[in-house]
Amino acid sequence: MTNVPVEGIKIPDIAHPEPQNNWRKYFSFSTDHKVIGIQYLVTSFVFFLIGGLLSMVIRAELITPPADLIDRTLYNSMFTMHGTIMIFLWIFPSLVGLANYLVPLMIGARDMAFPRLNAAAFWMVPVFGILLMTSYFLPSGTAQAGWWSYPPVSTQNPTDSVITGEFIWILAVAISGVSSIMGAVNFVTTIVRMRAPGMTYFRMPAYVWTVLSAQLIQLAALPALTAGAIMLLFDAAAGTAFFNPEKGGNPVLFQHFFWFYSHPAVYVMVLPIFGVFSEIFPVYSRKPLFGYKVVAVSSLLISGVSVLVWVHHMYASGTPGWMRMLFMASTMLVAVPTGIKVFAWVATIWKGKLRLDTPMLFCLGALLMFVFAGVTGVMLASVPIDIHVNNTYFVVGHFHYIVFGTITMGMFAALYHWFPKMTGRMYFEGLGKVHFILAFIGTNLCFLPMHLAGLHGMVRRVSSYDPEFAFSNVLASLGGFLLGMSTIPFILNMVGSWAQGKPAPDNPWRAIGLEWLVSSPPPVENFEALPIVVSGPYGYGKSDPLVENAAALKEG
Amino acid sequence: MNLKTIIGIGAYVAVLIAASLWVGQQAYGWLPPQATAESMLIDDLFSLFSTIGAFVLLGIAGVVLYTVFTQSVSRFDTSDGPHMEGNIKLEIVWTAIPLLLVFFLAGYSYQTYQQMAVRGPMDLVHLHHLPGSTPTAYAAEMETEPVEEVEVYAKQWAWTFRYPDTGVVSSDLHLPVNRRIRLLMTADEVIHGFYVPAFRLKQDIMPKRVTEFEFTPIREGTYRLNDSQFSGTYFAIMKANVVVESPESYRQWLASAAAQPAVPAENPAYSEYTNKRLKRFGGWKTVEPATPPLVNAISES
């Protein structure tokens, strides 16, 4: 392994031939981590809108008990594609995009460790995204087996063709996995090797710790899913029998492969958002992150425990009793490091000087919804309770409080907070607050009633249901439509502000962090001279300098 | 800490406890009727979790909202808050308490699970097990009382129930009240799930394998059986009635059903598939529903 000193790393100018503020760079094979970050964010947001549109159709079908809107096969396609798009084409790539933009700036690097690998990983996203979309034009239609794609349902093929929606789905998921592994290698290397002088591990912002923890999970667990997907592909297309009970295969084996990755994946998704909370609460409370070191290390603890909990998705499946008990204990254990974080955030805002700007509102709303999701999560970890609510709308409500109420709301907080840095423009505060209010009400109205329907026994993935669940579903549908509406002020705000918002100063929030010491947007190579870090990341309430050479970071 | 702080915290905790106990009582109302012995155990556990959950949620939300409403400043205020970096004692407390709490909750859940003694599924991970043998360890002690056995067959998308003693085949599941029931469940092509919300019990049924499942119904009435593991196109309408009745009417029903000739059952999936006039938007080719099973006793509703 060559040991290149960070000072020596100079990215050749040839990599950035275009002038800096040329919009065309966003459509090119750029190797600038900031361009790639925004490419990820914009691409994933387009898929967020597509996935959201599918969920509007789902809520329209479910507003009345009978299946009276779309064919049942199309309904099954709707929730399959909704889940797949939201996870693999919105949450994952948007988080990778945010990390791409922020990590090098936050640790004082000029780019990621492997800029070309970074660009290649990004360009796989539109490739598998479009590939997945083409399955709508196949005679077989799209995949219809849910995003879990459990065999034998997923390998049943009523058509004559081998190229089915399911086939395309597995390919797309496999490509997504390759892209994520490439990203993970890059992030871990960047964080370990490219920190600026003086940027020790315990001077890294908590966000960087969470990205490191999340990407380590990707490296450890994602290969299991990729292997499972490839075996499933052979079962579906080549007649092998890894999971086919007719020929002596074992369908439960796939469930293990799938959840061995797909539960830790939840932490891959939520950890960076915990990092966002840890960045934003101090800025808008004007106080240091409470118990920074413990919060930082708890991310790694969450990563560690997260790879030992997957069977809690299979309590009602073919699992023996001892396995159920073991995984109940390990799953509940996740609540401990997570609780440390929650208490630390609450202690951070306690006695602070709170400024309720849009990013802060989104973080506060997301924090409350996350605590609620945590409570229902511990309930789900308990085997006897789970045996009742497993595969019901209780679970659907629970995880939407995580994926929307926590992750997506936290992502919005991050987008507003770093928007001035990314674009050099300020967003419109009024529109931001409208967005928050609509999204907060919409989320609770949509997903809270689902818990009640689930407790009464409404099974998930149904296209029709008994009339006794009608009331919860009408509320959920209205909330869902409100959520759909709430993206309109967001889009107006982002597009309008980028085009003609007020020019942003270097540090509009008076935040502490290396990214706020350079211009908005930062120049191609981020720092004129590499920063020499001399203090910890959250010096609010003190006036210690963060770096020794603040003046030298910026161009003349 | 001065006296005022202690009284303040004490009052806050007292209000929280009262509110959480109230929530814990409400929790019973969020659940369907208790139709099995197991459902009462689960509901008590759920109520306990709801009480503790409400305490945590309300406690945190209260502090957050109090801070938001008392500590907000104008966005043009440039002052900072106090530079508090942490507090080791406090951090140990909020690590230790959740740790103890989750051990307690896991232990309590474990106890409930043992009391339920749901005869678990076989260990499917170990393929050498013979179908129908080796229940899990937790179901070991009981087994003195008489057990009513019923065979359950799940296929895309129909439930059928066979009573081995009489040979009766039915599309409704009839069960005698207050008797231990043992289901021997098999699926045809894909995984299905046996789920009766009023029973609070759920178990996946694997294709080509017998999965045993035990419980005790304690309340007469008609309940809904759902398929709980996604099984394809007509998953949503793969349902059946579960009729829990007195042992006398159960025996009468068995006797009269045994005298009936087998006729094709009504099957919503099959009739929806063959109904060409039904037109909804879109759709693709589906796996064909199996032909309706032949049964002695057709569905009553």
Side-chain angles (χ1 to χ4, degrees), chain A residues 67 69-74 76-77 79 139-142 144-145 148 150-153 156 158 245-246 250 252 255-256 286-291 294 316-322 324-325 328 332 336 340 342-344 346-347 349-357 364 368 371-372 375 378-379 382-385 387-392 429 452 455-457 459-464 466 510 538 540-542, chain B residues 29-32 42 45-46 49-50 53 56-57 60-61 63-68 71-75 77-87 90-91 94-95 98-99 102-103 105-106 109-110 112-113 116 121-125 127 136 138 156 188-191 195 197 200-204 206-208 224 226-237 239 272 280-287:
Chain A
L69 184 65
I70 54 175
D71 188 80
R72 290 189 194 272
T73 53
L74 184 55
N76 295 342
S77 146
F79 68 71
S140 72
T142 70
Q144 296 159 33
W148 305 352
Y150 276 8
V153 171
Q156 282 189 314
E246 305 261 350
N250 185 351
V252 180
Q255 301 179 12
H256 283 286
R286 316 306 307 166
K287 272 183 65 199
L289 178 64
F290 196 93
V294 181
S317 183
T319 44
W322 65 264
R324 294 174 173 184
M325 294 304 120
M328 171 164 73
M332 286 192 182
V336 177
I340 292 175
V342 170
F343 293 127
V346 175
I349 65 169
W350 179 253
K351 293 202 166 154
K353 301 255 184 179
L354 270 60
R355 293 176 311 164
L356 298 180
D357 290 331
L364 287 168
L368 292 182
V371 175
F372 179 71
V375 167
V378 174
M379 289 175 176
S382 169
V383 173
I385 297 176
I387 284 178
H388 173 44
V389 292
N390 179 296
N391 275 358
T392 67
E429 190 59 45
L452 205 58
L455 285 170
H456 274 105
V459 176
R460 72 191 281 196
R461 299 185 165 138
V462 291
S463 42
S464 58
D466 291 341
R510 294 182 301 112
Y538 303 103
Y540 299 95
K542 284 198 304 192
Chain B
W30 304 334
L31 293 157
I42 289 179
L45 189 68
F46 180 71
F49 273 68
S50 300
V56 172
L57 177 64
I60 291 173
V63 175
V64 168
L65 292 177
Y66 172 80
T67 308
V68 166
Q71 297 293 122
S72 293
V73 296
S74 148
R75 58 191 306 222
D77 184 336
T78 56
S79 62
D80 278 358
H83 185 85
M84 291 193 277
E85 285 192 341
N87 179 329
L90 199 57
E91 285 166 51
W94 72 40
T95 308
L99 196 63
V102 298
F103 279 136
L105 290 175
S109 301
Y110 171 71
T112 303
Y113 186 72
M116 282 163 59
M122 311 143 302
D123 185 351
L124 280 171
V125 180
L127 290 169
T136 51
Y138 303 110
Q156 283 171 317
D188 206 5
E189 12 24 27
V190 301
I191 305 172
Y195 176 43
R200 310 285 187 282
L201 295 174
K202 189 178 284 124
Q203 176 56 50
D204 281 7
M206 296 294 150
K208 312 292 164 206
R224 269 297 203 189
N226 300 284
D227 184 2
S228 60
Q229 190 60 274
F230 181 69
S231 59
T233 309
Y234 297 100
F235 164 67
I237 44 176
K239 297 186 175 200
E272 198 173 302
R280 302 185 189 114
F281 181 79
W284 295 290
K285 196 172 178 186
T286 169
V287 172

Side-chain angles (χ1 to χ4, degrees), chain B residues 137-148:
Chain B
Y138 303 110
E141 320 84 73
M142 29 135 245
E143 248 11 82
T144 40
E145 46 181 334
V147 174
E148 194 71 20

Side-chain angles (χ1 to χ4, degrees), chain A residues 87-350:
Chain A
I87 290 165
F88 294 105
L89 287 157
W90 158 241
I91 296 184
F92 275 135
S94 66
L95 290 168
V96 170
L98 189 70
N100 236 299
Y101 196 95
L102 292 177
V103 165
L105 280 167
M106 283 180 160
I107 62 171
R110 290 203 165 101
D111 204 323
M112 298 280 281
F114 311 111
R116 284 181 187 79
L117 184 72
N118 200 17
F122 163 72
W123 281 103
M124 291 169 90
V125 175
V127 167
F128 74 77
I130 291 167
L131 177 68
L132 190 66
M133 290 299 137
T134 57
S135 61
Y136 277 103
F137 304 104
L138 289 174
S140 72
T142 70
Q144 296 159 33
W147 84 278
W148 305 352
S149 210
Y150 276 8
V153 171
S154 59
T155 50
Q156 282 189 314
N157 181 359
T159 68
D160 309 324
S161 169
V162 175
I163 309 296
T164 60
E166 181 66 27
F167 183 91
I168 299 290
W169 183 93
I170 300 171
L171 271 187
V173 168
I175 299 173
S176 151
V178 173
S179 162
S180 293
I181 291 174
M182 283 159 65
V185 168
N186 210 346
F187 279 115
V188 173
T189 314
T190 304
I191 295 169
V192 173
R193 306 284 316 164
M194 309 253 306
R195 282 169 290 119
M199 177 60 83
T200 58
Y201 281 109
F202 280 112
R203 281 184 187 160
M204 294 196 306
Y207 176 75
V208 181
W209 274 93
T210 59
V211 171
L212 179 64
S213 311
Q215 298 299 331
L216 284 171
I217 299 179
Q218 293 284 54
L219 286 181
L222 190 48
L225 176 69
T226 311
I230 289 167
M231 285 191 246
L232 189 64
L233 193 69
F234 279 112
D235 270 17
T240 56
F242 293 109
F243 310 124
N244 181 351
E246 305 261 350
K247 298 178 193 162
N250 185 351
V252 180
L253 184 63
F254 177 81
Q255 301 179 12
H256 283 286
F257 281 130
F258 181 81
W259 289 117
F260 183 79
Y261 171 65
S262 295
H263 191 81
V266 177
Y267 299 95
V268 176
M269 299 191 263
V270 83
L271 276 168
I273 294 301
F274 290 167
V276 166
F277 292 166
S278 298
E279 296 308 309
I280 290 183
F281 283 128
V283 176
Y284 295 85
S285 313
R286 316 306 307 166
K287 272 183 65 199
L289 178 64
F290 196 93
Y292 156 70
K293 285 186 184 172
V294 181
V295 171
V297 172
S298 69
S299 303
L300 280 178
L301 286 179
I302 292 178
S303 294
V305 182
S306 79
V307 293
L308 300 169
V309 301
W310 77 96
V311 175
H312 69 227
H313 291 272
M314 303 161 57
Y315 286 157
S317 183
T319 44
W322 65 264
M323 207 187 253
R324 294 174 173 184
M325 294 304 120
L326 185 71
F327 281 88
M328 171 164 73
S330 65
T331 302
M332 286 192 182
L333 220 50
V334 181
V336 177
T338 315
I340 292 175
K341 284 177 183 279
V342 170
F343 293 127
W345 296 322
V346 175
T348 302
I349 65 169
W350 179 253

Side-chain angles (χ1 to χ4, degrees), chain A residues 430-444:
Chain A
L431 274 177
K433 292 204 163 93
V434 170
H435 177 207
F436 168 72
I437 291 166
L438 293 180
F440 188 74
I441 297 173
T443 308
N444 287 293

